[in-house]
Amino acid sequence: MASPAPVGRGSRNRRASSKGRARNKSQGPSAAPRLALPDPADLQYAAQQTQLYKQNAQAEAGRVIGMSVQEQEKLLREVMRLMLFRQKAQPDVPVPRNDLTKVILASYKDGKKSNMGNAIVALAQESFAKVMGMDMRELRIAPVSKGKSRITENDAGGSKFYVLRSLVPTNWKRKFVADESQNPSRHLLIILLMLIKCQGDKLSEEDMWQYLSELGVQQREVHFKLGKVEDEIKTLVQKKYLIQRKQNGADGNSFTYEAGPNATDELEPKGGIDAYVDQLFTDSLVQPSADQAQDMEME
């Protein structure tokens, strides 16, 4: 009887490959890292804002007379383009309403028509939320009351501003967009907001540098993470996270700082500055173990 033919290398490789596939199939596909579910509160806020802007756009559109759909779409593109370009050039710096009005007037011969500007801004807010997942927030700065203090050139009393924010849920934004918790400028802002709150919603410049120096942040020194801190504070004022007011006193001019509309508006969905600061402290506390908790109860 004839002996079986020798098994070649190619045949052995095919058997090994088939065994490998069978083993991988039995083990199942490798588990891909699962993306954490978004916070329901973030989803609810995004849905509410989108619906709110839709209702506002419909209401404002009904008040506009004599403008074609094509003309509205043209002005809408101009306003959205300005907001996007400004966000790219100066991130988080609010755009004055006057700048949006100038774009509208330059593009529409009958731009002074009543309510036309409100309608285009409302359409832009709806489009940003629905199409791009962005929140075109309106910020208002109340006019300064008459007295010894006056607003600086970095502010504009009684004005409207608009800023773009992401509607992406917080945990997804940290993973795919930007993690603000790792931003040194953000840390400085939170510290200043806490100090302002502890000082009765107003912090003098002298007290501010006194407290910061105790944290190792000096006024005229370059910080190893923040860089030149004075410039960082000026940037926070420019972004309306802080309001800088000039005080005219017997000892000359001095400055005080207050929480700006960009800060208060951004933290409002999280319960305001108080709740946000409380949550920061809660997250930083180390929970005791079961044995430690039992010892504490016995004491």
Side-chain angles (χ1 to χ4, degrees):
M1 186 173 61
S3 60
V7 179
R9 178 181 301 177
S11 185
R12 287 197 300 269
N13 289 342
R14 285 193 296 272
R15 284 204 300 269
S17 176
S18 62
K19 288 181 181 178
R21 287 196 299 269
R23 184 166 54 252
N24 291 337
K25 185 176 181 181
S26 64
Q27 292 175 351
S30 58
R34 298 182 60 184
L35 182 63
L37 294 176
D39 188 339
D42 289 340
L43 296 179
Q44 183 181 13
Y45 176 78
Q48 288 176 345
Q49 290 302 107
T50 303
Q51 182 63 23
L52 174 64
Y53 292 141
K54 179 180 179 180
Q55 293 173 352
N56 290 345
Q58 291 174 345
E60 292 294 342
R63 299 189 181 100
V64 176
I65 301 175
M67 181 187 293
S68 67
V69 174
Q70 291 77 13
E71 289 173 325
Q72 291 184 34
E73 291 178 347
K74 177 184 176 183
L75 295 178
L76 172 63
R77 290 194 295 269
E78 293 295 331
V79 168
M80 294 183 69
R81 183 180 295 113
L82 175 63
M83 291 297 301
L84 290 170
F85 283 177
R86 289 287 184 87
Q87 176 67 15
K88 177 67 174 179
Q90 296 177 302
D92 300 327
V93 175
V95 178
R97 172 61 182 262
N98 288 342
D99 290 2
L100 301 182
T101 302
K102 289 177 182 178
V103 167
I104 294 173
L105 294 179
S107 304
Y108 189 60
K109 60 181 180 180
D110 296 325
K112 295 184 179 180
K113 193 179 295 294
S114 176
N115 292 317
M116 191 268 293
N118 292 338
I120 300 303
V121 170
L123 283 172
Q125 290 177 313
E126 180 192 16
S127 298
F128 271 121
K130 183 172 65 176
V131 179
M132 298 186 177
M134 302 181 76
D135 194 358
M136 182 179 166
R137 294 289 294 173
E138 179 182 281
L139 307 177
R140 292 174 180 253
I141 299 179
V144 183
S145 59
K146 295 181 180 180
K148 292 185 177 180
S149 65
R150 67 179 181 86
I151 211 159
T152 65
E153 62 181 1
N154 292 315
D155 211 343
S159 299
K160 290 182 182 180
F161 296 84
Y162 294 88
V163 64
L164 290 177
R165 299 201 193 110
S166 175
L167 285 173
V168 175
T170 303
N171 58 333
W172 290 6
K173 183 163 59 177
R174 288 175 178 171
K175 185 175 180 61
F176 299 110
V177 182
D179 189 356
E180 288 292 340
S181 65
Q182 303 300 317
N183 185 351
S185 181
R186 185 75 171 184
H187 300 166
L188 175 63
L189 172 63
I190 296 302
I191 291 173
L192 292 176
L193 291 177
M194 292 169 61
L195 291 173
I196 290 170
K197 199 67 182 175
C198 292
Q199 293 293 311
D201 297 330
K202 185 178 293 186
L203 179 66
S204 70
E205 185 176 33
E206 181 181 0
D207 288 343
M208 178 185 70
W209 288 114
Q210 173 79 27
Y211 290 125
L212 289 178
S213 66
E214 294 178 5
L215 297 174
V217 179
Q218 305 300 329
Q219 182 174 4
R220 293 179 176 81
E221 293 182 7
V222 178
H223 191 267
F224 71 103
K225 281 193 174 181
L226 291 167
K228 198 171 181 181
V229 184
E230 285 183 310
D231 291 343
E232 283 293 329
I233 293 176
K234 289 179 182 178
T235 300
L236 293 175
V237 172
Q238 184 185 20
K239 293 181 177 181
K240 310 299 180 194
Y241 282 117
L242 297 176
I243 290 180
Q244 183 188 62
R245 299 191 189 275
K246 193 172 185 178
Q247 302 281 345
N248 298 322
D251 299 332
N253 296 329
S254 61
F255 293 101
T256 61
Y257 292 89
E258 302 172 18
N262 208 355
T264 54
D265 183 82
E266 185 176 328
L267 297 178
E268 182 181 354
K270 302 175 183 178
I273 295 175
D274 288 344
Y276 185 72
V277 170
D278 289 342
Q279 186 61 44
L280 286 177
F281 279 109
T282 301
D283 293 342
S284 65
L285 293 176
V286 178
Q287 297 297 327
S289 64
D291 293 338
Q292 291 174 331
Q294 186 176 5
D295 292 339
M296 292 169 63
E297 291 178 0
M298 293 178 62
E299 293 177 357

